[in-house]
Amino acid sequence: MTVQVSEIYLEDRVSGGSARAELRDAIEEQQLLDWLNAWQPAVRDLIVGLNARGVPANQWPQSWHWQWPAKMAEVAGLIAYRGYCVTCGGMTQGLMRLDLTSFAREVSQLGKPLVYVEYLEVAPWNWGDGERRARYAGIGTALLAAAVALSIEEGFKGRMGLHSLPQSEGFYRNACGMTDLGPDAECQGLKYFEMTEAQAEAFLGEETAE
């Protein structure tokens, strides 16, 4: 399968400028090698630092334990699942796995097909915390824009849904303009968010304007 590559730009928070990046509609072997050889040592260093500062475990980045090779292996060869990544500076900066078999819950869209974001994570050096600045910004937004674009391509009119880790709720609600449908008892009590057709149009419009 041919991988589609789009040029995007991220905010470089170290230089204060922008950085050319690539959005790719696949997660390939190189991304999993980057996760193993670069992300994992960075996660370990981060956790050690948080421990040393006395930061309680419930305040650590909530995706630190995710295992991307396993996540991709469990859907290998299944056409209803898609992987996307963002690369910049010769390194994978963000990963996303999508499910195309879900349906909307928001009352005005109820029962209509949507793209469900199962997992979205940025590289640990892009997390940022009170002690350090994130390297690049805009990765999550670029990946969500790709999910909305795929929804449109599939005839789902931009509808998109996801369950949010608590630390990301503000991003999905405020930055992305998604509808907060509250905690889902069937998904560890995580809040479920949806983007309607109108919200998708507004979201993509803002991305184009930027």
Side-chain angles (χ1 to χ4, degrees):
M1 183 181 71
T2 301
V3 177
Q4 298 296 317
V5 180
S6 302
E7 182 178 279
I8 62 173
Y9 285 86
L10 304 175
E11 178 187 348
D12 186 332
R13 290 190 167 173
V14 174
S15 71
S18 60
R20 182 185 176 278
E22 291 183 345
L23 172 69
R24 305 172 65 87
D25 68 345
I27 294 176
E28 300 177 284
E29 182 180 3
Q30 184 58 55
Q31 279 71 62
L32 299 181
L33 288 173
D34 287 347
W35 176 88
L36 178 64
N37 297 323
W39 288 36
Q40 289 307 283
V43 168
R44 288 193 290 270
D45 289 346
L46 177 62
I47 297 304
V48 168
L50 292 172
N51 259 326
R53 285 157 43 201
V55 177
N58 62 6
Q59 295 179 26
W60 296 356
Q62 293 166 333
S63 62
W64 71 270
H65 61 285
W66 285 1
Q67 300 288 316
W68 277 95
K71 292 185 184 304
M72 296 313 299
E74 67 187 11
V75 297
L78 301 178
I79 61 173
Y81 296 85
R82 308 288 177 84
Y84 281 78
C85 69
V86 170
T87 64
C88 182
M91 176 57 61
T92 303
Q93 304 293 340
L95 297 167
M96 177 175 69
R97 194 180 95 177
L98 303 177
D99 172 10
L100 277 65
T101 67
S102 295
F103 298 90
R105 306 180 189 181
E106 197 274 336
V107 62
S108 70
Q109 314 288 309
L110 189 63
K112 296 180 179 179
L114 54 66
V115 168
Y116 178 74
V117 180
E118 291 191 300
Y119 303 101
L120 190 159
E121 186 176 26
V122 300
W125 48 84
N126 297 318
W127 289 343
D129 59 30
E131 295 291 315
R132 61 175 195 162
R133 180 182 301 174
R135 181 69 171 88
Y136 296 111
I139 300 161
T141 303
L143 288 169
L144 286 179
V148 173
L150 178 62
S151 175
I152 294 170
E153 180 183 322
E154 292 290 321
F156 301 167
K157 298 186 177 181
R159 290 185 296 272
M160 183 258 292
L162 56 86
H163 287 88
S164 175
L165 294 173
Q167 291 168 340
S168 301
E169 290 173 5
F171 171 69
Y172 295 122
R173 184 186 302 110
N174 303 323
C176 302
M178 299 179 73
T179 299
D180 180 351
L181 294 178
D184 185 349
E186 296 184 1
C187 191
Q188 302 175 343
L190 297 176
K191 285 192 175 182
Y192 178 69
F193 289 79
E194 273 192 9
M195 183 173 283
T196 65
E197 179 180 348
Q199 289 168 337
E201 184 177 350
F203 176 69
L204 290 183
E206 290 177 1
E207 291 305 296
T208 302
E210 291 178 0

